[in-house]
Amino acid sequence: VERLRKLYDALDSSTTPASVLLPWLPSPSMFRKLYASKKVYDIVKCAINARMESGVSRDDTLQMLLDHGDEKLVIVGVIHFL
């Protein structure tokens, strides 16, 4: 949780007016945002894999998405916005 908090803080701080107005411009803040997004994806993907490998069913959002058959990228996107 601490790692995710730091990554989300990095995502928030790397959103600048320039990155919103010029999202195609390769700026340092854009690279920080891309790096933090990738790390969040890796952490959530690891949690998804652990849940799938354990075979234990839980009553939570992740389990609902897995039971529905959603792809990992979709699950990460949903969890990102929770």
Side-chain angles (χ1 to χ4, degrees), residues 11-82:
L11 283 170
D12 286 342
S13 66
S14 63
T15 302
T16 62
S19 69
V20 172
L21 293 173
L22 306 168
W24 49 266
L25 183 67
S27 64
S29 64
M30 187 56 69
F31 286 115
R32 283 191 300 273
K33 191 172 189 171
L34 182 63
Y35 178 77
S37 296
K38 171 69 169 104
K39 294 308 247 178
V40 168
Y41 174 80
D42 291 343
I43 291 170
V44 175
K45 185 178 77 166
C46 187
I48 292 168
N49 290 338
R51 175 73 63 92
M52 291 172 64
E53 290 171 3
S54 74
V56 176
S57 182
R58 297 197 171 99
D59 186 27
D60 60 7
T61 304
L62 176 57
Q63 192 65 48
M64 289 173 30
L65 294 168
L66 289 172
D67 291 345
H68 188 261
D70 288 326
E71 295 181 18
K72 289 179 184 176
L73 188 59
V74 172
I75 295 172
V76 171
V78 168
I79 292 185
H80 179 71
F81 290 108
L82 287 180

